[in-house]
Amino acid sequence: MNLLPLTFLFPLVGFLLLSFSRGKWSENLSALVGVGSVGLAALSAFWAIWSFHSNPPEGGAYSLVLWQWMSVGDFKANFTLYLDGLSVTMLGVVTGVGFLIHLFASWYMRGETGYSRFFAYTNLFIASMLFLVLGDNLLFMYFGWEGVGLCSYLLIGFYYSHVPNGNAALKAFIVTRVGDVFFAIGMFILFQHLGTLNIQELLVLAPQHFAKGDLWINVATLMLLGGAVGKSAQLPLQTWLADAMAGPTPVSALIHAATMVTAGVYLIARCHGLFELAPNVLELVGVIGAVTLVLAGFAALVQTDIKRILAYSTMSQIGYMFLALGVGAWGGAIFHLMTHAFFKALLFLASGAVIVACHHEQNIFKMGGLWKKLPLAYASFVVGGAALSALPFLTAGFYSKDEILWEAFASGHPNLLIAGLVGAFMTSLYTFRLIFIAFHGEAKTEAHAGHGISHWLPLGVLIVLSTFIGALITPPLAGVLPESAGHAGGEAKHSLEIASGAIAIAGILLAGLLFLGKRRFVTAVAQSAPGRFFGTWWLHAWGFDWLYDKLFVKPYLLICRLLAADPIDKTLVLVPLTARGGHKLLSLTENGRLRWYAASLVGGAALLLGALLLA
């Protein structure tokens, strides 16, 4: 367990080496350092996980104090690593999936300007994400939280010479900062009332200090929820995620599918005891997740960019996790977080392989017929798409998603269950729409399959993990998170599994009917007046960007224009203007003429005598 600090020290060292190389290293050396540091971190992490399982710590958790961060009065914050079943799960996901993505990126980013800079950013991201999931107090977690936000900005805007990419990075940074401010306010409230930010102490002290439904625990958890929806791209702070696809495809896989966007889910699960004291806020968590997953499903259905379709599917799947948290299915949310990391990383990496093979074309309607030319990418999309659609029994997504649907039913939330089932149907429909359009039908572009171990190994491993084999990995959450209402299961659970499986298959069959062949019916619907209206509405993600532009951006710019002519500013400007005017006036008296100086002396003396007489 003493090797635990190495999990973040290796990526930090990799970040420093790559940063100070100033881009002068060869691509091979940069890849060796960038990928190797995360590989060593993954080995250290799996050693720590094996030690945790083979020799369980007393009390089910292990703490390692690295050093004291700050001490102000009674407030003390340490850099302390905390390892329990929840952080063990996140540790495995971050380092394991992160290593596979880094390995794939070493192939994908070849020939790109800023190759070493890319790995410097991703190494820093991995270190920050590990701070977030291993921190034993909210302040240390917030340190990692802000670190991944910074890296997200840097990586989304990696191709900074293209203005829209820079705008997308700024948008992600600003929107997520709104959530981060809420998170900070929540920390202030908790510290004000409980005198600590240590998470385990908070979970013990909160029930002693707050009654269930108390005003301040509601406000504090609302603020934490605000931070979670910002980082995890849930309603109403979801607008940044689709535009974040401007970054390189491995960035989309690393940050916006497998790790960073799940930080909000982790935060709520880690602070579960606080949210249980605020049942109305916990209910709101589930409602936000349900609404987000349905809205994102409709938006994904009309997208043409392969990465934006996957981005909206990420938004939708995190909605399932929020729904699970809202109904008290804590273990189900984390289980789906893990399986989602497998199949969504697979889909994003496979989309990267397709984009490279098609000469950086991302419009699925300009592809077609790729299944013969790109067999590995096709297999990746079929397996990953089946897992995303929760195809029964064969895929990891089936077991995790159905657990969430069952918990919604068992906990007495029929409306959330219906939203989950609608979302399941939509997921199958838009996922296989992508597959049928891009990989079947008439070929519209030349494509060349990638090669090399760094290309096929990550895809191969993730294909295996996206099947039922990945679902055999059980997160060790017993004793860490409360048991859910539906943990016992029963015949009703099997009936719901059959129903949800049938819905997923129905979505796939409908996608085949609509998008295989000539697609005449779909084209006719899309060209009709209602089709154009809804298509445009959903293509622009229900108009949230337009709404926020009217509500926030335009008023802000108006205030800026008003303040540019601020009367207070103009009044203050009079002071330097008066000084400059006086300076110019007095400068005129320095003209070098003796008569003028004598007259000035006489005049000054007269003024002084007059002043004395008047006094």
Side-chain angles (χ1 to χ4, degrees), residues 37 40 64 126 140 176 211 362 389-390 469 478 519 525 554 565 605:
S37 62
L40 292 172
L64 178 63
I126 291 291
F140 190 14
T176 55
Q362 295 185 201
S389 304
I469 295 172
R519 302 195 288 270
V525 171
K554 293 290 175 57

Side-chain angles (χ1 to χ4, degrees), residues 461-515:
V461 172
L462 290 169
I463 284 174
V464 173
L465 292 175
S466 298
T467 65
F468 66 91
I469 295 172
L472 297 177
I473 303 173
T474 306
L477 302 176
V480 179
L481 299 174
E483 282 192 343
S484 56
H487 67 277
E491 287 188 11
K493 183 177 182 181
H494 297 310
S495 300
L496 183 59
E497 287 175 347
I498 293 171
S500 67
I503 287 172
I505 293 171
I508 296 172
L509 293 176
L510 181 60
L513 289 172
L514 294 177
F515 301 109

